Amino acid sequence: MIARVQPLTTTRRLAGPFDYALPVAPVDVGSIVRIPFGRQALDGVVVGLAETTEVPDGSLVTPSAVREDSLPVELVELALWMADEYCSTPARALSLVLPPRGRPRAQLWASRTDAPLDGERLTARQRALLDGLPRAAGAELAALRRLEARGLAAIAPRARRRAPLTVPRADELVTLTDEQETALAAVERGGAWLLHGVTGSGKTEVYLRAAAAALERGEGVIMLVPEIALTPQTVGRFQARFGDTVALLHSALGEGERYDEWRRLRTGTARIAIGPRSAVFAPLQQLGLVVIDEEHDSSYKHEGDPRYDARHVAAWRVGAAGGGIGARPSIAGSVADAGTEDGPSRTVPAGGAWEIVAGARRPADRVELCGRAEGSLPPVRRRLLCGSATPRPETWHALSRLTLSERVGSRSLPPVRVLDMRGARHPLHPDTRRALGEARKAILLLNRRGWSNFLTCRSCGKVWECPQCDVALVLHRAEHAVACHHCGHRERVPERCDACGSPAVARYGAGTERLEAELAEALDVPVFRLDADTAGVKDAVPELLARFATAPAGLLVGTQMVAKGHDFPDVTLGVVVDADATLRFPDFRAEERTFALIAQLAGRAGRGPRGGQVLVQTTAPGAPAIAAAAAHDTRGFVADELERRRALDYPPFADLIRIVCSAPAAGTPRAAAGEIAGAVTGAAGATVLGPAPLFRLRGRHRSQVVVKAHERAAAVDAVRVAVDRAARQREYRDVAFSVDVDPQ
Ligand code: ADP
Ligand code: ZN
Ligand code: ZN
């Protein structure tokens, strides 16, 4: 037998896998091995086993070591699929799904043997010790060793869990509402579902019940949340209900904790994985359910290579990708005939577009499974449940929808008032100021960090810009610095203009830092600021949120982070200070984002008995996204938005692929982009937009091409070929290429 090993290198040029002889230690698909590779040693993943090789006899090398932890076969397949799907490489995709580094921490564990105690002469202390078993030996090791010598106790090493610190909440046992019952029953039938319901409508309760049902069937669950720090309630509720079978996976865990949590899932000790997007790679044994909370959240998209989208990967894991979320639901029924748990070839209308059978849509040809083909496993009908108050139009279009139409306890959503800021002098509308004076607790959202957006010289007009990027520097007053929000460049605040010497340097616009200062001065309540600048330190976010939660009065000011998942019953006022900030963004998702931001903020306000209101300041009061959000009209907004997208041929009616070429020199990115555009135009019926210039970033000039495709796989292939060809050309030696399938 031969092991086919994919070396984990970052270069794009090496196209594995390569053949190796089997080492003494057992290996299988998913084993992680150390391999001699040229003159170096690399880690590699076994992606297949084969009977024969083309490597001549005698020159086959053997891996030098096999790691104790291995990947489940499914994750190997998943990585190979991602490499294709996102125009990346197998090595880069595999490195995303690897087990964390580490080893179990052992402790000595003492337990009773079968030996009877009758007739044994024991002191009171010894008897108490024996009665207390099993337990960690700890400080009693010597005493326990004496009992072990008499055959009364057994002592052996045992893995000791390093558990992440969390705050479990008291579990509430509730009777489901009719709508919750209906939703749960639908999910139980299998397939992929959208659960649409405003914050507080009881979605989490449906997730919890669906998870309980999966556990009961012996299946594992993945629960994806946007960000652990901003969603401690969800984690706490899962732990309160399911205890230690919940494993937490996220990057802020210590190395040992992360290793232990991964291992508990891999061995089946834990069967629910909770975490942000990377938790979609949880090594669960028998995955039965993936829940994606706040499915509209942009954090589900990974910005490294491969640029995967956890929502799309989740759809693959439940067997629904291929079309995936965001694709046209044209595969209706196509999987249905592959057989269900009720027997082969019975079409069951469940989950609308998708009837899911594990393994049915896997690209299994990529992996030689050596007699362990996944088709031979008992078919599991997997489920996907995406929840949101503001679903993406893609999801709305692709999935069958379940609705929770009102908040639990029928507390209504707060009224939203749009305040026209055209011609306004002061950053806060008079009505906003009045409302702030009356509310004891309020949340203000301003999607712009720092003090002011840009500095300019009143005498000569110089604008302070980043030397590396073509963008204005933002003033951060507390740090006496101006900073670039794209590359992190910082310099001291200028006291005078370095071009003309004038001391008259003007500051324009307002960010969260300035808003915080002005509010603190104007109002007699504590002001808490939450944005990327204050969230940097570990535990800063939960501490800040806790202080705001317990304060009798206060204002929470910040970027979109303030609109996420929090539950503060005593907040009666929400203010969007500049709704145009997201609306003006040059992107076809600008409307969708603006709508979501306002609706999410409305979900934070008026959760308690005193009700509340939301004020939206804008210079575009008539914008459809703002008007729809003010009317709490998700259905209407999404319907209009889908019509607009259909007319413009945007997702979900086409797939987008974005290629960015960048280089230190100005001319080559544009030329390389032009060549790629030419090569892809017409391929697989794709339309090509660009090349279009992007602003210079980190000293690199950039040019982008956007491909609109109706045959996704063929278009991705055409892009891959075009990019590979351009990358090999001498004149583009200095050009870096980045491919983003489904850009956000
Ligand atoms: P969402 O996830 O949509 O924000 P939750 O599931 O958190 O909503 O529910 C909001 C609150 O209502 C929670 O405190 C929850 O315990 C409670 N709740 C949920 N379902 C019910 C129910 N059927 N009966 C009573 N209370 C419920
Ligand atoms: Zn000047
Ligand atoms: Zn910069």
Side-chain angles (χ1 to χ4, degrees):
M1 283 290 243
I2 305 296
R4 318 208 67 202
V5 179
Q6 182 65 55
L8 299 176
T9 85
T10 48
T11 96
R12 254 185 189 275
R13 277 184 248 293
L14 262 181
F18 300 97
D19 291 356
Y20 283 83
L22 291 192
V24 183
V27 295
D28 208 336
V29 174
S31 295
I32 299 157
V33 292
R34 191 80 183 154
I35 45 169
F37 197 80
R39 265 169 303 165
Q40 40 176 344
L42 292 174
D43 282 339
V45 176
V46 178
V47 296
L49 298 174
E51 298 288 350
T52 58
T53 176
E54 283 165 19
V55 178
D57 252 4
S59 34
L60 210 56
V61 247
T62 312
S64 58
V66 181
R67 234 164 104 176
E68 192 182 323
D69 295 302
S70 65
L71 288 171
V73 176
E74 188 194 339
L75 288 187
V76 175
E77 284 187 60
L78 170 60
L80 298 181
W81 169 80
M82 275 202 298
D84 265 355
E85 184 76 3
Y86 293 107
C87 238
S88 182
T89 66
R92 291 181 198 186
L94 281 166
S95 48
L96 286 179
V97 304
L98 283 186
R101 290 250 158 221
R103 43 176 57 254
R105 181 167 67 179
Q107 66 181 161
L108 288 176
W109 191 259
S111 48
R112 272 281 289 132
T113 58
D114 295 336
L117 295 185
D118 314 337
E120 292 284 344
R121 290 181 39 170
L122 295 164
T123 64
R125 177 159 165 265
Q126 286 174 322
R127 201 164 278 284
L129 252 183
L130 285 170
D131 283 344
L133 296 185
R135 54 164 278 185
E140 303 290 355
L141 182 60
L144 286 163
R145 282 283 185 217
R146 285 192 286 277
L147 293 169
E148 185 190 30
R150 289 165 64 180
L152 300 176
I155 300 177
R158 168 174 162 156
R160 173 163 153 219
R161 178 181 175 208
R162 289 153 288 192
L165 259 186
T166 50
V167 198
R169 316 229 308 181
D171 197 12
E172 293 171 58
L173 282 181
V174 299
T175 312
L176 293 187
T177 62
D178 287 349
E179 283 185 330
Q180 284 173 321
E181 288 282 8
T182 308
L184 187 65
V187 174
E188 285 308 286
R189 293 209 301 276
W193 299 91
L194 166 63
L195 182 60
H196 173 227
V198 297
T199 14
S201 61
K203 297 187 294 296
T204 309
E205 189 59 40
V206 176
Y207 309 154
L208 288 162
R209 300 289 177 116
L215 290 185
E216 211 142 273
R217 286 189 297 269
E219 297 167 359
V221 178
I222 296 176
M223 170 81 211
L224 297 182
V225 293
E227 248 172 280
I228 293 278
L230 297 176
T231 44
Q233 288 109 335
T234 310
V235 176
R237 281 169 72 180
F238 267 76
Q239 283 180 325
R241 193 153 306 177
F242 302 114
D244 276 349
T245 197
V246 175
L248 214 56
L249 293 176
H250 68 100
S251 55
L253 296 184
E255 206 170 83
E257 291 165 349
R258 206 175 330 160
Y259 177 81
D260 285 358
E261 294 297 85
W262 190 91
R263 189 98 196 145
R264 291 195 318 121
L265 291 164
R266 179 75 174 103
T267 54
T269 315
R271 289 193 292 144
I272 300 180
I274 302 194
R277 64 170 178 265
S278 59
V280 78
F281 305 125
L284 283 158
Q285 302 267 321
Q286 278 275 19
L287 181 63
L289 169 72
V290 182
V291 178
I292 307 177
D293 192 22
E294 312 284 6
E295 73 86 27
H296 61 276
D297 198 275
S298 57
S299 70
Y300 288 122
K301 175 81 179 178
H302 181 63
E303 292 304 343
D305 181 7
R307 295 174 171 272
Y308 72 90
D309 188 318
R311 295 163 289 207
H312 189 53
V313 174
W316 186 92
R317 287 203 78 175
V318 301
I325 304 183
R328 300 150 302 285
S330 55
I331 58 167
S334 67
V335 209
D337 296 332
T340 70
E341 63 190 7
D342 307 324
S345 297
R346 219 194 83 192
T347 309
V348 183
W354 295 311
E355 176 61 18
I356 292 153
V357 179
R361 291 186 65 81
R362 297 299 156 66
D365 52 334
R366 293 297 306 269
V367 181
E368 292 150 49
L369 289 163
C370 289
R372 288 200 325 167
E374 211 154 328
S376 64
L377 294 173
V380 180
R381 201 189 295 167
R382 297 182 172 181
R383 296 158 173 83
L384 178 64
L385 178 56
C386 302
S388 175
T390 54
R392 292 179 304 160
E394 285 97 316
T395 316
W396 188 278
H397 185 70
L399 301 191
S400 301
R401 192 164 60 251
L402 303 161
T403 309
L404 302 181
S405 54
E406 50 189 31
R407 283 179 164 180
V408 173
S410 300
R411 256 173 282 128
S412 58
L413 280 168
V416 177
R417 271 181 60 214
V418 180
L419 302 177
D420 190 347
M421 294 298 280
R422 280 173 294 188
R425 286 274 203 39
H426 193 280
L428 295 180
H429 192 279
D431 290 2
T432 306
R433 277 178 276 169
R434 195 170 315 122
L436 283 172
E438 287 162 9
R440 294 191 56 69
K441 269 182 139 171
I443 302 180
L444 285 91
L445 190 161
L446 174 57
N447 222 353
R448 206 158 48 215
R449 292 187 285 132
W451 185 272
S452 58
N453 327 357
F454 68 101
L455 302 180
T456 135
C457 169
R458 282 195 208 277
S459 309
C460 75
K462 174 192 158 109
V463 173
W464 271 260
E465 284 192 343
C466 175
Q468 304 292 319
C469 317
D470 292 333
V471 295
L473 294 173
V474 177
L475 174 64
H476 288 259
R477 218 169 73 152
E479 296 144 63
H480 307 289
V482 284
C484 170
H485 284 184
H486 292 271
C487 73
H489 168 86
R490 268 163 196 274
E491 42 190 88
R492 284 191 66 80
V493 181
E495 273 162 23
R496 50 184 62 246
C497 175
D498 53 341
C500 74
S502 159
V505 177
R507 305 161 169 190
Y508 285 100
T512 44
E513 189 188 12
R514 180 166 175 183
L515 188 60
E516 175 196 16
E518 289 181 354
L519 289 168
E521 198 175 287
L523 296 165
D524 193 21
V525 291
V527 182
F528 306 85
R529 172 157 62 97
L530 178 61
D531 58 26
D533 297 318
T534 61
V537 200
K538 191 175 190 280
D539 295 333
V541 175
E543 274 166 26
L544 187 137
L545 292 175
R547 276 191 292 136
F548 177 65
T550 49
L555 302 179
L556 180 64
V557 176
T559 52
Q560 27 81 29
M561 293 168 95
V562 301
K564 300 204 173 172
H566 324 295
D567 182 6
F568 306 114
D570 49 358
V571 167
T572 52
L573 174 65
V575 180
V576 182
V577 176
D578 178 10
D580 311 359
T582 42
L583 201 55
R584 276 191 304 258
F585 215 74
D587 175 3
F588 78 96
R589 292 189 198 279
E591 298 264 338
E592 169 190 333
R593 292 222 176 90
T594 307
F595 177 83
L597 213 53
I598 298 172
Q600 293 290 337
L601 187 67
R604 305 299 129 231
R607 298 188 75 152
R610 268 182 299 167
Q613 64 166 333
V614 174
L615 302 175
V616 179
Q617 300 192 163
T618 173
T619 57
I626 292 177
H632 301 298
D633 185 12
T634 306
R635 193 177 295 270
F637 172 74
V638 175
D640 288 352
E641 184 64 14
L642 280 170
E643 270 327 296
R644 195 175 71 92
R645 303 249 186 117
R646 190 192 296 277
L648 298 172
D649 203 21
Y650 271 121
F653 305 100
D655 290 309
L656 298 187
I657 308 168
R658 189 166 87 123
I659 304 117
V660 176
C661 307
S662 70
T668 45
R670 155 91 215 192
E675 197 157 318
I676 291 169
V680 179
T681 301
T687 336
V688 175
L689 313 175
L694 295 176
F695 70 84
R696 196 170 52 108
L697 180 67
R698 294 172 208 273
R700 301 181 72 88
H701 295 267
R702 301 184 301 156
S703 184
Q704 88 165 359
V705 174
V706 174
V707 177
K708 272 185 185 172
H710 295 100
E711 293 164 45
R712 181 185 173 99
V716 171
D717 277 346
V719 167
R720 180 184 301 106
V721 170
V723 168
D724 282 350
R725 186 178 316 126
R728 276 198 305 271
Q729 265 159 260
R730 274 187 65 79
E731 62 260 53
Y732 304 138
R733 248 181 335 216
D734 62 339
V735 179
F737 299 86
S738 123
V739 179
D740 192 352
V741 180
D742 304 330
Q744 288 296 297

